[in-house]
Coordinates of all heavy atoms in Angstrom, one line a residue:
M1 N 101.9 34.1 91.2 CA 101.4 35.1 92.1 C 100.5 36.0 91.4 O 100.6 36.2 90.2 CB 102.6 35.9 92.6 CG 103.5 35.1 93.6 SD 104.8 36.2 94.2 CE 106.2 35.2 93.5
T2 N 99.6 36.5 92.2 CA 98.6 37.5 91.6 C 98.5 38.7 92.5 O 98.8 38.7 93.7 CB 97.2 36.8 91.5 OG1 96.8 36.4 92.8 CG2 97.2 35.6 90.6
S3 N 98.1 39.8 91.8 CA 97.8 41.0 92.6 C 96.4 41.0 93.1 O 95.7 40.0 92.8 CB 98.0 42.2 91.6 OG 97.0 42.2 90.7
S4 N 96.0 42.0 93.7 CA 94.6 42.1 94.3 C 93.6 42.1 93.1 O 92.4 41.7 93.3 CB 94.4 43.3 95.1 OG 94.7 44.5 94.4
K5 N 94.0 42.4 91.9 CA 93.1 42.4 90.8 C 93.1 41.1 90.1 O 92.4 40.9 89.0 CB 93.5 43.5 89.8 CG 93.4 44.9 90.4 CD 93.8 45.9 89.3 CE 93.8 47.3 89.9 NZ 94.2 48.3 88.9
G6 N 93.8 40.1 90.6 CA 93.8 38.8 89.9 C 94.8 38.7 88.8 O 94.8 37.8 88.0
E7 N 95.6 39.7 88.6 CA 96.6 39.8 87.5 C 97.9 39.0 87.9 O 98.1 38.9 89.1 CB 97.0 41.2 87.2 CG 95.8 42.0 86.7 CD 96.2 43.5 86.4 OE1 97.4 43.8 86.5 OE2 95.3 44.3 86.1
V8 N 98.6 38.5 87.0 CA 99.8 37.9 87.2 C 100.8 38.9 87.8 O 100.9 40.1 87.3 CB 100.4 37.3 85.9 CG1 101.8 36.7 86.1 CG2 99.5 36.2 85.4
M9 N 101.5 38.6 88.8 CA 102.5 39.5 89.4 C 103.9 38.9 89.2 O 104.1 37.7 89.4 CB 102.2 39.7 90.9 CG 103.2 40.7 91.5 SD 103.0 40.9 93.3 CE 101.5 41.8 93.4
L10 N 104.8 39.8 88.8 CA 106.2 39.4 88.7 C 107.0 39.9 89.9 O 106.5 40.7 90.7 CB 106.8 40.1 87.5 CG 106.2 39.8 86.1 CD1 106.8 40.6 85.0 CD2 106.2 38.3 85.8
T11 N 108.1 39.3 90.1 CA 109.0 39.7 91.2 C 110.3 40.3 90.5 O 110.9 39.6 89.7 CB 109.4 38.6 92.1 OG1 108.2 38.0 92.6 CG2 110.3 39.0 93.2
V12 N 110.6 41.5 90.9 CA 111.8 42.2 90.3 C 112.8 42.2 91.5 O 112.6 42.8 92.5 CB 111.6 43.6 89.9 CG1 112.8 44.3 89.4 CG2 110.5 43.6 88.7
Y13 N 113.9 41.4 91.3 CA 115.0 41.5 92.2 C 115.9 42.6 91.8 O 116.4 42.7 90.7 CB 115.8 40.1 92.2 CG 115.0 39.0 92.8 CD1 114.2 38.2 91.9 CD2 115.0 38.7 94.1 CE1 113.4 37.2 92.4 CE2 114.2 37.6 94.6 CZ 113.4 36.9 93.8 OH 112.7 35.9 94.3
S14 N 116.2 43.5 92.8 CA 116.9 44.7 92.5 C 118.0 45.0 93.6 O 118.1 44.3 94.5 CB 115.9 45.9 92.4 OG 115.4 46.2 93.6
K15 N 118.7 46.1 93.3 CA 119.6 46.7 94.3 C 119.4 48.2 94.4 O 118.9 48.8 93.5 CB 121.0 46.4 93.9 CG 121.4 44.9 94.1 CD 122.9 44.7 93.7 CE 123.7 45.1 94.9 NZ 125.1 44.7 94.8
T16 N 119.8 48.8 95.5 CA 119.8 50.2 95.7 C 120.7 50.9 94.7 O 121.8 50.4 94.4 CB 120.2 50.6 97.1 OG1 119.4 49.8 98.0 CG2 120.1 52.1 97.4
N17 N 120.3 52.0 94.1 CA 121.1 52.8 93.2 C 121.5 52.0 91.9 O 122.6 52.1 91.4 CB 122.4 53.3 93.9 CG 122.0 54.3 95.0 OD1 121.1 55.1 94.9 ND2 122.7 54.2 96.1
C18 N 120.6 51.2 91.4 CA 120.8 50.4 90.2 C 120.0 51.0 89.1 O 118.7 50.8 89.1 CB 120.4 49.0 90.5 SG 120.2 47.9 89.0
P19 N 120.6 51.7 88.1 CA 119.8 52.3 87.0 C 119.0 51.3 86.2 O 117.9 51.6 85.9 CB 120.9 53.0 86.2 CG 122.1 53.2 87.1 CD 122.0 52.1 88.1
A20 N 119.6 50.2 86.0 CA 118.8 49.2 85.2 C 117.6 48.7 86.0 O 116.6 48.4 85.4 CB 119.7 48.0 84.8
C21 N 117.7 48.6 87.3 CA 116.6 48.2 88.1 C 115.5 49.2 88.1 O 114.3 48.9 87.9 CB 117.0 48.0 89.6 SG 118.3 46.7 89.8
I22 N 115.9 50.5 88.2 CA 114.9 51.6 88.1 C 114.2 51.6 86.7 O 113.0 51.7 86.6 CB 115.6 52.9 88.3 CG1 116.1 53.0 89.8 CG2 114.7 54.1 88.0 CD1 117.1 54.1 90.1
N23 N 115.0 51.4 85.7 CA 114.4 51.4 84.3 C 113.4 50.2 84.2 O 112.4 50.4 83.5 CB 115.5 51.3 83.3 CG 116.3 52.5 83.1 OD1 115.9 53.6 83.5 ND2 117.5 52.4 82.6
T24 N 113.8 49.1 84.7 CA 112.9 47.9 84.7 C 111.5 48.2 85.3 O 110.5 47.9 84.8 CB 113.6 46.7 85.3 OG1 114.7 46.3 84.6 CG2 112.6 45.5 85.4
K25 N 111.6 48.8 86.5 CA 110.4 49.1 87.3 C 109.5 50.1 86.5 O 108.3 50.0 86.5 CB 110.7 49.5 88.7 CG 111.3 48.4 89.5 CD 111.7 48.8 90.9 CE 112.9 49.7 90.9 NZ 113.3 50.1 92.3
V26 N 110.2 51.1 85.9 CA 109.5 52.2 85.2 C 108.8 51.6 84.0 O 107.6 51.8 83.7 CB 110.4 53.3 84.8 CG1 109.8 54.2 83.8 CG2 110.9 54.1 86.0
L27 N 109.5 50.7 83.2 CA 108.9 50.1 82.0 C 107.7 49.2 82.4 O 106.7 49.2 81.8 CB 109.9 49.4 81.2 CG 109.5 48.9 79.9 CD1 109.1 50.1 79.0 CD2 110.6 48.1 79.2
L28 N 107.9 48.4 83.4 CA 106.8 47.5 83.8 C 105.6 48.3 84.3 O 104.4 48.0 83.9 CB 107.2 46.6 85.0 CG 108.2 45.5 84.6 CD1 108.7 44.7 85.8 CD2 107.6 44.5 83.6
G29 N 105.8 49.4 85.0 CA 104.7 50.3 85.4 C 104.1 50.9 84.2 O 102.8 51.0 84.1
K30 N 104.8 51.4 83.2 CA 104.3 52.0 82.0 C 103.4 51.0 81.3 O 102.3 51.4 80.8 CB 105.4 52.4 81.1 CG 105.0 53.0 79.8 CD 106.2 53.3 78.9 CE 105.8 53.7 77.5 NZ 106.9 54.0 76.6
Y31 N 103.7 49.7 81.3 CA 102.9 48.7 80.6 C 101.8 48.2 81.5 O 101.0 47.3 81.1 CB 103.8 47.5 80.2 CG 104.7 47.9 79.1 CD1 105.8 47.0 78.8 CD2 104.6 49.0 78.3 CE1 106.7 47.3 77.8 CE2 105.5 49.3 77.2 CZ 106.5 48.4 77.0 OH 107.4 48.6 76.0
G32 N 101.7 48.7 82.7 CA 100.6 48.2 83.6 C 100.8 46.8 84.2 O 99.8 46.2 84.5
V33 N 102.0 46.4 84.3 CA 102.3 45.0 84.7 C 102.6 45.1 86.3 O 103.4 45.9 86.7 CB 103.6 44.5 84.0 CG1 104.0 43.1 84.6 CG2 103.3 44.3 82.5
S34 N 101.9 44.3 87.0 CA 102.0 44.2 88.4 C 103.3 43.5 88.8 O 103.7 42.5 88.2 CB 100.9 43.4 89.1 OG 99.6 44.1 88.8
Y35 N 104.0 44.0 89.8 CA 105.2 43.4 90.2 C 105.5 43.8 91.7 O 104.9 44.8 92.2 CB 106.5 43.8 89.4 CG 106.8 45.3 89.6 CD1 107.7 45.7 90.6 CD2 106.3 46.3 88.8 CE1 108.1 47.0 90.7 CE2 106.6 47.6 88.9 CZ 107.5 48.0 89.9 OH 107.9 49.3 90.1
K36 N 106.3 43.0 92.3 CA 106.8 43.3 93.7 C 108.3 43.4 93.5 O 108.9 42.7 92.7 CB 106.3 42.4 94.7 CG 106.9 41.0 94.7 CD 106.5 40.1 95.9 CE 107.1 38.8 95.8 NZ 106.8 38.0 96.9
E37 N 108.9 44.2 94.3 CA 110.3 44.4 94.3 C 110.9 43.8 95.6 O 110.4 44.0 96.7 CB 110.7 45.9 94.3 CG 112.1 46.2 94.3 CD 112.5 47.6 94.3 OE1 111.6 48.5 94.5 OE2 113.7 47.9 94.2
I38 N 112.0 43.1 95.3 CA 112.8 42.6 96.5 C 114.2 43.1 96.3 O 114.9 42.9 95.3 CB 112.8 41.0 96.5 CG1 111.4 40.5 96.7 CG2 113.8 40.6 97.6 CD1 111.3 39.0 96.7
N39 N 114.6 44.0 97.3 CA 115.9 44.6 97.2 C 117.0 43.7 97.8 O 116.9 43.3 99.0 CB 115.8 45.9 98.0 CG 117.1 46.7 97.8 OD1 118.2 46.2 97.9 ND2 116.9 48.0 97.5
M40 N 117.9 43.3 97.0 CA 119.0 42.4 97.4 C 119.8 43.0 98.6 O 120.4 42.2 99.3 CB 119.9 42.1 96.2 CG 119.1 41.5 95.1 SD 118.9 39.8 95.2 CE 120.6 39.3 95.0
D41 N 119.9 44.3 98.6 CA 120.7 44.9 99.7 C 120.0 44.7 101.0 O 120.7 44.9 102.1 CB 120.9 46.4 99.4 CG 121.7 46.7 98.2 OD1 122.6 45.9 97.9 OD2 121.5 47.7 97.5
E42 N 118.7 44.4 101.0 CA 118.0 44.3 102.3 C 117.5 42.9 102.6 O 116.9 42.6 103.6 CB 116.8 45.2 102.2 CG 117.1 46.7 102.0 CD 115.9 47.5 101.6 OE1 114.8 47.0 101.5 OE2 116.1 48.8 101.4
N43 N 117.8 41.9 101.7 CA 117.2 40.6 101.8 C 118.3 39.6 101.4 O 118.5 39.2 100.3 CB 116.0 40.5 100.9 CG 115.2 39.2 101.1 OD1 115.8 38.1 101.4 ND2 113.9 39.3 101.1
Q44 N 119.0 39.0 102.4 CA 120.0 38.1 102.2 C 119.5 36.8 101.6 O 120.2 36.2 100.8 CB 120.8 37.8 103.6 CG 121.9 36.9 103.4 CD 123.1 37.5 102.5 OE1 123.3 38.7 102.5 NE2 123.8 36.6 101.9
A45 N 118.3 36.3 102.0 CA 117.8 35.1 101.4 C 117.5 35.2 99.9 O 117.8 34.3 99.2 CB 116.5 34.7 102.2
A46 N 117.1 36.4 99.5 CA 116.9 36.7 98.1 C 118.2 36.7 97.3 O 118.3 36.1 96.2 CB 116.1 38.0 97.9
K47 N 119.2 37.2 97.9 CA 120.5 37.2 97.3 C 121.0 35.8 97.2 O 121.5 35.4 96.1 CB 121.5 38.1 98.2 CG 122.9 38.2 97.6 CD 123.7 39.1 98.4 CE 125.1 39.3 97.8 NZ 125.9 40.3 98.6
E48 N 120.9 35.0 98.2 CA 121.3 33.6 98.1 C 120.5 32.8 97.1 O 121.1 32.0 96.3 CB 121.2 33.0 99.5 CG 122.2 33.5 100.5 CD 121.9 33.1 101.9 OE1 121.0 32.2 102.2 OE2 122.6 33.6 102.8
F49 N 119.2 33.1 96.9 CA 118.4 32.5 95.9 C 118.9 32.8 94.5 O 119.1 31.9 93.7 CB 117.0 32.9 96.0 CG 116.1 32.6 94.8 CD1 115.8 31.3 94.6 CD2 115.7 33.6 93.9 CE1 115.0 30.9 93.4 CE2 115.0 33.2 92.8 CZ 114.6 31.9 92.6
L50 N 119.2 34.1 94.2 CA 119.7 34.4 92.9 C 121.0 33.9 92.6 O 121.3 33.4 91.5 CB 119.7 36.0 92.7 CG 118.3 36.6 92.6 CD1 118.5 38.1 92.3 CD2 117.5 36.0 91.5
V51 N 121.9 33.9 93.6 CA 123.2 33.3 93.4 C 123.1 31.8 93.1 O 123.7 31.2 92.2 CB 124.2 33.5 94.6 CG1 125.4 32.7 94.5 CG2 124.5 35.0 94.7
S52 N 122.2 31.1 93.8 CA 122.0 29.7 93.6 C 121.4 29.4 92.2 O 121.6 28.3 91.7 CB 121.1 29.1 94.7 OG 119.7 29.4 94.5
E53 N 120.7 30.4 91.6 CA 120.2 30.2 90.3 C 121.2 30.6 89.2 O 120.9 30.6 88.0 CB 118.9 31.1 90.1 CG 117.7 30.7 91.0 CD 117.2 29.4 90.5 OE1 116.9 29.2 89.3 OE2 117.0 28.5 91.4
G54 N 122.4 31.0 89.6 CA 123.4 31.4 88.7 C 123.5 32.8 88.3 O 124.2 33.2 87.3
H55 N 122.7 33.7 88.9 CA 122.7 35.1 88.5 C 123.8 35.8 89.3 O 124.1 35.6 90.4 CB 121.3 35.7 88.8 CG 120.2 35.1 88.2 ND1 120.1 35.0 86.8 CD2 119.1 34.4 88.7 CE1 119.0 34.4 86.5 NE2 118.4 34.0 87.6
R56 N 124.4 36.8 88.6 CA 125.4 37.6 89.2 C 125.2 39.1 89.1 O 125.9 39.9 89.5 CB 126.8 37.3 88.5 CG 127.2 35.9 88.6 CD 127.6 35.5 90.0 NE 128.1 34.1 90.1 CZ 127.3 33.2 90.7 NH1 126.1 33.4 91.1 NH2 127.8 32.0 90.8
Q57 N 124.0 39.4 88.5 CA 123.7 40.8 88.3 C 122.2 41.0 88.5 O 121.4 40.1 88.4 CB 124.1 41.4 87.0 CG 123.5 40.7 85.8 CD 124.2 41.2 84.5 OE1 125.2 41.8 84.5 NE2 123.5 41.0 83.4
V58 N 121.7 42.2 88.7 CA 120.3 42.6 88.8 C 120.1 43.7 87.8 O 121.0 44.3 87.4 CB 119.9 43.0 90.2 CG1 120.0 41.8 91.2 CG2 120.8 44.1 90.8
P59 N 118.8 43.8 87.4 CA 117.6 43.2 87.9 C 117.5 41.8 87.3 O 118.0 41.5 86.2 CB 116.5 44.1 87.5 CG 117.0 44.7 86.2 CD 118.5 44.9 86.4
Q60 N 116.8 41.0 88.0 CA 116.3 39.7 87.5 C 114.8 39.7 87.7 O 114.3 40.2 88.7 CB 116.9 38.5 88.3 CG 118.4 38.4 88.1 CD 118.8 38.1 86.6 OE1 118.1 37.5 85.9 NE2 120.0 38.6 86.2
I61 N 114.1 39.2 86.7 CA 112.6 39.3 86.7 C 112.1 37.8 86.7 O 112.4 37.0 85.8 CB 112.1 40.0 85.5 CG1 112.8 41.4 85.4 CG2 110.6 40.1 85.5 CD1 112.6 42.1 84.0
Y62 N 111.3 37.5 87.8 CA 110.8 36.2 88.0 C 109.3 36.2 88.0 O 108.6 37.2 88.3 CB 111.3 35.6 89.3 CG 112.6 34.9 89.2 CD1 113.8 35.6 89.0 CD2 112.6 33.5 89.2 CE1 115.0 34.9 88.9 CE2 113.8 32.8 89.1 CZ 115.0 33.5 88.9 OH 116.2 32.8 88.8
R63 N 108.7 35.1 87.6 CA 107.3 34.8 87.7 C 107.2 33.6 88.6 O 107.5 32.5 88.1 CB 106.6 34.6 86.3 CG 105.2 34.3 86.4 CD 104.6 34.1 85.0 NE 103.2 34.0 85.0 CZ 102.5 33.8 83.9 NH1 103.1 33.8 82.7 NH2 101.2 33.6 84.0
G64 N 106.8 33.8 89.8 CA 106.8 32.7 90.8 C 108.3 32.3 91.0 O 109.1 33.2 91.3
T65 N 108.6 31.0 90.8 CA 109.9 30.6 91.0 C 110.7 30.4 89.7 O 111.8 29.9 89.6 CB 110.0 29.2 91.7 OG1 109.2 28.3 91.0 CG2 109.4 29.4 93.2
D66 N 110.0 30.9 88.6 CA 110.6 30.7 87.2 C 111.1 32.1 86.7 O 110.4 33.1 86.8 CB 109.6 30.2 86.2 CG 109.1 28.8 86.6 OD1 109.9 28.0 87.1 OD2 107.9 28.5 86.5
L67 N 112.3 32.0 86.1 CA 112.8 33.2 85.4 C 111.8 33.6 84.3 O 111.5 32.8 83.5 CB 114.2 32.9 84.9 CG 114.9 34.1 84.3 CD1 115.2 35.2 85.3 CD2 116.2 33.7 83.6
F68 N 111.4 34.9 84.4 CA 110.4 35.4 83.4 C 111.1 35.8 82.1 O 110.6 35.4 81.0 CB 109.6 36.5 84.0 CG 108.5 37.0 83.1 CD1 107.5 36.3 82.7 CD2 108.6 38.3 82.6 CE1 106.5 36.8 81.8 CE2 107.7 38.8 81.7 CZ 106.6 38.1 81.4
I69 N 112.1 36.6 82.2 CA 112.8 37.1 81.1 C 114.3 37.0 81.3 O 114.8 37.6 82.2 CB 112.5 38.6 80.8 CG1 111.0 38.8 80.4 CG2 113.3 39.2 79.6 CD1 110.5 40.2 80.3
K70 N 115.0 36.2 80.4 CA 116.4 36.1 80.5 C 117.1 37.4 80.2 O 116.7 38.1 79.2 CB 116.9 35.0 79.6 CG 118.3 34.7 79.7 CD 118.7 33.6 78.8 CE 120.2 33.3 78.9 NZ 120.6 32.1 78.1
G71 N 118.0 37.8 81.0 CA 118.8 39.0 80.7 C 118.4 40.3 81.4 O 118.9 41.4 81.2
G72 N 117.4 40.2 82.3 CA 117.0 41.3 83.1 C 116.5 42.5 82.3 O 115.7 42.3 81.4
W73 N 117.1 43.6 82.6 CA 116.7 44.9 81.9 C 116.9 44.8 80.4 O 116.0 45.1 79.6 CB 117.4 46.1 82.4 CG 117.3 47.3 81.6 CD1 118.4 47.9 81.0 CD2 116.2 48.0 81.2 NE1 118.0 49.0 80.3 CE2 116.6 49.1 80.4 CE3 114.8 47.9 81.5 CZ2 115.7 50.0 79.8 CZ3 113.9 48.8 80.9 CH2 114.4 49.9 80.1
L74 N 118.0 44.2 79.9 CA 118.2 44.1 78.5 C 117.2 43.2 77.8 O 116.8 43.4 76.7 CB 119.7 43.7 78.2 CG 120.8 44.7 78.6 CD1 122.1 44.1 78.4 CD2 120.6 46.0 77.9
G75 N 116.9 42.1 78.5 CA 115.9 41.2 78.0 C 114.5 41.8 77.9 O 113.8 41.7 76.9
L76 N 114.2 42.5 79.0 CA 112.9 43.2 79.0 C 112.8 44.3 77.9 O 111.8 44.4 77.2 CB 112.7 43.9 80.4 CG 111.3 44.6 80.6 CD1 110.2 43.6 80.5 CD2 111.4 45.3 81.9
M77 N 113.9 45.0 77.7 CA 113.9 46.1 76.8 C 113.8 45.6 75.3 O 113.4 46.3 74.4 CB 115.3 46.9 76.9 CG 115.3 48.2 76.2 SD 116.8 49.2 76.7 CE 118.1 48.1 76.2
S78 N 114.2 44.4 75.1 CA 114.1 43.8 73.8 C 112.7 43.4 73.3 O 112.5 43.0 72.2 CB 115.1 42.6 73.6 OG 114.5 41.5 74.4
L79 N 111.8 43.4 74.3 CA 110.4 43.1 74.0 C 109.5 44.3 74.0 O 109.7 45.2 74.7 CB 109.9 42.1 75.0 CG 110.7 40.8 75.2 CD1 110.2 40.0 76.4 CD2 110.6 39.9 73.9
N80 N 108.4 44.2 73.2 CA 107.5 45.3 73.3 C 106.4 44.9 74.2 O 106.3 43.8 74.7 CB 106.9 45.7 71.9 CG 106.2 44.5 71.2 OD1 105.4 43.8 71.9 ND2 106.3 44.3 69.9
E81 N 105.5 45.9 74.4 CA 104.4 45.6 75.4 C 103.5 44.4 75.1 O 103.2 43.6 76.0 CB 103.5 46.9 75.5 CG 102.4 46.8 76.5 CD 101.5 48.0 76.6 OE1 101.8 49.0 75.9 OE2 100.7 48.0 77.5
A82 N 103.2 44.3 73.8 CA 102.3 43.1 73.4 C 103.0 41.8 73.7 O 102.4 40.8 74.1 CB 102.0 43.3 71.9
E83 N 104.3 41.7 73.4 CA 105.1 40.5 73.7 C 105.1 40.2 75.2 O 105.0 39.0 75.5 CB 106.5 40.6 73.1 CG 106.6 40.7 71.6 CD 107.9 41.1 71.1 OE1 108.6 42.0 71.6 OE2 108.3 40.5 70.1
I84 N 105.3 41.2 76.0 CA 105.4 40.9 77.4 C 104.0 40.5 77.9 O 103.9 39.5 78.7 CB 105.8 42.2 78.1 CG1 107.3 42.5 77.8 CG2 105.6 42.1 79.7 CD1 107.7 43.9 78.2
K85 N 103.0 41.1 77.5 CA 101.6 40.7 77.9 C 101.2 39.3 77.4 O 100.6 38.6 78.1 CB 100.6 41.8 77.5 CG 100.8 43.0 78.4 CD 99.7 44.0 78.3 CE 100.0 45.2 79.3 NZ 99.0 46.2 79.2
K86 N 101.7 39.0 76.2 CA 101.4 37.6 75.7 C 102.1 36.6 76.6 O 101.6 35.5 76.9 CB 101.9 37.5 74.3 CG 101.6 36.1 73.7 CD 101.9 36.1 72.2 CE 101.5 34.7 71.6 NZ 101.7 34.6 70.2
M87 N 103.4 36.9 77.0 CA 104.1 36.0 77.9 C 103.4 35.8 79.2 O 103.4 34.8 79.8 CB 105.5 36.5 78.1 CG 106.4 36.4 76.9 SD 108.0 37.2 77.1 CE 108.7 36.2 78.4
L88 N 102.8 37.0 79.7 CA 102.1 36.9 81.0 C 100.8 36.3 80.9 O 100.4 35.4 81.8 CB 101.9 38.4 81.5 CG 103.1 39.0 82.1 CD1 102.9 40.5 82.4 CD2 103.5 38.4 83.5
Y89 N 100.0 36.6 80.0 CA 98.6 36.3 80.0 C 98.2 35.3 78.9 O 97.1 34.8 78.8 CB 97.7 37.5 79.8 CG 98.1 38.6 80.8 CD1 98.6 39.8 80.4 CD2 97.9 38.4 82.2 CE1 98.9 40.8 81.3 CE2 98.2 39.4 83.1 CZ 98.7 40.6 82.6 OH 99.1 41.6 83.5
G90 N 99.1 35.0 77.9 CA 98.9 34.1 76.9 C 97.9 34.5 75.8 O 97.4 33.8 75.1
D91 N 97.6 35.8 75.8 CA 96.7 36.4 74.8 C 97.3 36.5 73.4 O 98.4 36.9 73.2 CB 96.1 37.7 75.2 CG 95.3 37.6 76.5 OD1 94.7 36.5 76.8 OD2 95.2 38.6 77.2

């Protein structure tokens, strides 16, 4: 997926009142990474998708239909900005 600027866009699956979800969105924003949020509390199909993928917690970060970072917030937090951008853009 791409944003209007042609950048790679991630999908953050989240829930309402989820501190790890909020932290994930803040960190992605800080790094200038485009993402769209899908709130599991509001989207049953998204919830079913994540359960079918074996996930039991949020946030989960996807690039298209592929898991981008294993471990959600903890996985994201373990990487620095350069590592995340390399994963996204291959630079």
Side-chain angles (χ1 to χ4, degrees):
M1 287 182 242
T2 59
S3 70
S4 59
K5 296 179 182 179
E7 296 178 6
V8 175
M9 182 184 290
L10 300 178
T11 301
V12 175
Y13 291 91
S14 67
K15 289 182 81 172
T16 305
N17 298 320
C18 166
C21 300
I22 294 167
N23 291 338
T24 295
K25 295 180 287 182
V26 168
L27 189 60
L28 290 174
K30 177 182 173 184
Y31 291 164
V33 175
S34 297
Y35 69 89
K36 71 176 179 177
E37 178 182 10
I38 298 179
N39 188 314
M40 304 273 292
D41 293 330
E42 301 167 359
N43 189 321
Q44 184 63 31
K47 184 175 183 177
E48 291 169 5
F49 166 72
L50 287 185
V51 169
S52 75
E53 293 292 309
H55 302 297
R56 299 292 181 255
Q57 61 186 16
V58 290
Q60 295 298 329
I61 306 165
Y62 272 73
R63 180 178 183 179
T65 57
D66 298 320
L67 185 64
F68 180 66
I69 297 175
K70 185 176 180 178
W73 164 242
L74 294 178
L76 182 65
M77 194 173 59
S78 72
L79 301 171
N80 64 40
E81 181 177 4
E83 291 169 320
I84 292 168
K85 290 190 173 180
K86 184 175 183 178
M87 290 172 65
L88 281 170
Y89 309 116
D91 295 333

